[in-house]
């Protein structure tokens, strides 16, 4: 711990991030990514703290501040780490939406950023899952909050999606085992084509809960930030989001990890 703390505290020794010479070299970008990815503890709150420190140090140089802010907002919008969407939202709300980036940001860009964070914030890890009431193949209304399961997997797919065609049958091969562990899978079709939806179900013999919104009566694509398929959310028994946007084939392994964590908590309350 001492070695780590010493290394972290002295990581930026001898480097002035406002130096225009460093800004025009590959050094600054490499140091920033090394620091944020390999030195800072990979938790959203820890990263947010360090991002604010770096941006505060960059403020004396308008050019460096602009470069750093743009770099960081792009970095965390595309981050593959599940909980780092909170970092992206923090940067947008604290710096872009308070006018600190107005010198180089157009109104159109700000509107896009506002829209983007509005889609992300409802599904932060730990939040209650957004309301989701859809219809099964018989037209019966189903509310996901009525599903009694230790974990509920929301599997959003499109019948025309190539990845969905490959991964769905593989995921379904684990269904019986997951059911035995107290897990329910809800397959949510993002298409409004009823024939394609039902053909997809029949082709792979999908007997999990099959739902869709064929008449576009809900806004689930917006509230669950569905920008590609398949998209996965895992909810706990209280329907809070515990994991999201993992690869569909990783679901069985992630469920095992969650169950193991539950067992450890029960043994060490």
């Amino acid at each position: 711990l001492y070695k780590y703390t010493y290394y972290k505290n002295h990581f930026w020794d001898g480097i002035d991030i406002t130096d225009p010479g460093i800004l025009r070299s590959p050094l600054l970008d490499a140091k920033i990514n090394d620091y944020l990815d390999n030195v800072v503890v990979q938790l959203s709150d820890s990263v947010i703290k360090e991002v604010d420190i770096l941006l505060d140090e960059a403020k004396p140089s308008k050019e460096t501040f602009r470069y750093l802010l743009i770099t960081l907002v792009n970095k965390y919008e595309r981050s593959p780490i599940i909980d780092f969407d909170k970092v992206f939202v923090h940067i947008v709300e604290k710096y872009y939406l308070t006018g600190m980036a107005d010198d180089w940001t157009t109104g159109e860009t700000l509107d896009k950023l506002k829209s983007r964070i509005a889609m992300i914030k409802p599904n932060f890890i730990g939040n209650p899952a957004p309301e989701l009431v859809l219809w099964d193949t018989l037209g019966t209304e189903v509310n996901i909050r009525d599903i009694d399961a230790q974990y509920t997997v929301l599997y959003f797919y499109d019948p025309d999606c190539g990845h969905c065609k490959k991964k769905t049958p593989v995921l379904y091969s684990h269904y019986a085992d997951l059911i035995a562990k107290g897990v329910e899978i809800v397959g949510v079709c993002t298409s409004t084509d009823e024939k394609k939806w039902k053909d997809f179900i029949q082709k792979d013999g999908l007997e999990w809960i099959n739902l869709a919104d064929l008449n576009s009566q809900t806004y689930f694509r917006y509230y669950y930030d569905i920008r590609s398929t398949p998209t996965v959310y895992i909810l706990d028994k209280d329907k809070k989001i515990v994991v999201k946007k993992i690869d569909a084939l990783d679901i069985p392994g992630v469920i095992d990890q969650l169950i193991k964590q539950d067992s450890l908590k029960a043994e060490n309350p």
Side-chain angles (χ1 to χ4, degrees):
L1 180 60
Y2 171 79
K3 290 180 179 179
Y4 164 74
T5 303
Y6 183 88
Y7 178 68
K8 180 175 181 293
N9 290 341
H10 293 273
F11 187 87
W12 294 100
D13 284 2
I15 297 177
D16 177 5
I17 65 173
T18 64
D19 185 330
I22 291 178
L23 181 62
R24 289 167 175 79
S25 76
L27 175 64
L28 183 59
D29 187 67
K31 289 288 284 186
I32 289 168
N33 285 311
D34 187 20
Y35 184 68
L36 293 174
D37 295 344
N38 302 316
V39 180
V40 176
V41 175
Q42 296 299 282
L43 297 172
S44 57
D45 289 344
S46 298
V47 173
I48 286 171
K49 176 183 175 182
E50 297 297 335
V51 161
D52 283 343
I53 290 172
L54 285 171
L55 286 168
D56 191 56
E57 292 179 355
K59 284 179 181 177
S61 168
K62 182 179 290 187
E63 191 175 13
T64 302
F65 180 75
R66 173 181 176 177
Y67 163 79
L68 191 56
L69 188 54
I70 293 173
T71 297
L72 292 174
V73 81
N74 289 333
K75 175 182 178 68
Y76 289 108
E77 182 180 17
R78 298 190 293 262
S79 176
I81 299 178
I82 292 172
D83 201 34
F84 278 10
D85 49 5
K86 291 180 181 177
V87 184
F88 169 70
V89 170
H90 171 80
I91 294 171
V92 172
E93 290 185 331
K94 182 170 181 178
Y95 299 97
Y96 279 88
L97 302 188
T98 58
M100 297 177 72
D102 283 358
D103 287 351
W104 66 84
T105 307
T106 64
E108 182 182 0
T109 298
L110 286 176
D111 287 341
K112 287 180 180 179
L113 289 172
K114 289 177 185 177
S115 176
R116 188 76 194 96
I117 65 172
M119 294 177 71
I120 294 173
K121 288 182 75 173
N123 50 69
F124 277 162
I125 297 295
N127 280 9
E131 187 74 22
L132 187 61
V133 179
L134 300 171
W135 293 264
D136 66 15
T137 54
L138 298 177
T140 303
E141 188 176 275
V142 177
N143 189 328
I144 62 160
R145 299 196 185 283
D146 295 333
I147 296 171
D148 184 15
Q150 190 68 21
Y151 289 101
T152 303
V153 176
L154 301 181
Y155 177 67
F156 296 91
Y157 68 89
D158 187 319
D160 291 327
C161 163
H163 293 296
C164 302
K165 291 177 182 178
K166 292 178 181 178
K167 295 182 179 183
T168 301
V170 179
L171 173 60
Y172 188 71
S173 69
H174 296 277
Y175 183 53
D177 183 51
L178 290 170
I179 281 286
K181 295 175 180 178
V183 180
E184 181 58 86
I185 298 181
V186 180
V188 181
C189 178
T190 61
S191 171
T192 56
D193 189 314
E194 183 174 5
K195 185 177 186 305
K196 287 184 178 180
W197 173 40
K198 292 184 176 179
D199 286 348
F200 189 86
I201 293 171
Q202 291 175 358
K203 176 180 176 295
D204 291 316
L206 305 177
E207 294 184 3
W208 55 36
I209 299 174
N210 291 290
L211 303 178
D213 179 9
L214 300 177
N215 297 315
S216 299
Q217 298 179 56
T218 68
Y219 296 94
F220 73 87
R221 296 172 187 81
Y222 179 87
Y223 290 112
Y224 281 88
D225 191 25
I226 309 298
R227 298 198 295 167
S228 63
T229 51
T231 293
V232 173
Y233 283 79
I234 300 180
L235 317 180
D236 66 11
K237 59 183 176 58
D238 298 317
K239 300 301 180 283
K240 290 184 178 179
I241 299 168
V242 290
V243 177
K244 67 178 181 178
K245 299 194 174 180
I246 58 171
D247 190 287
L249 303 187
D250 291 336
I251 291 172
V254 171
I255 289 293
D256 285 343
Q257 291 178 23
L258 292 171
I259 292 173
K260 184 178 180 180
Q261 289 174 10
D262 289 342
S263 297
L264 291 172
K265 288 178 183 177
E267 292 171 3
N268 302 283

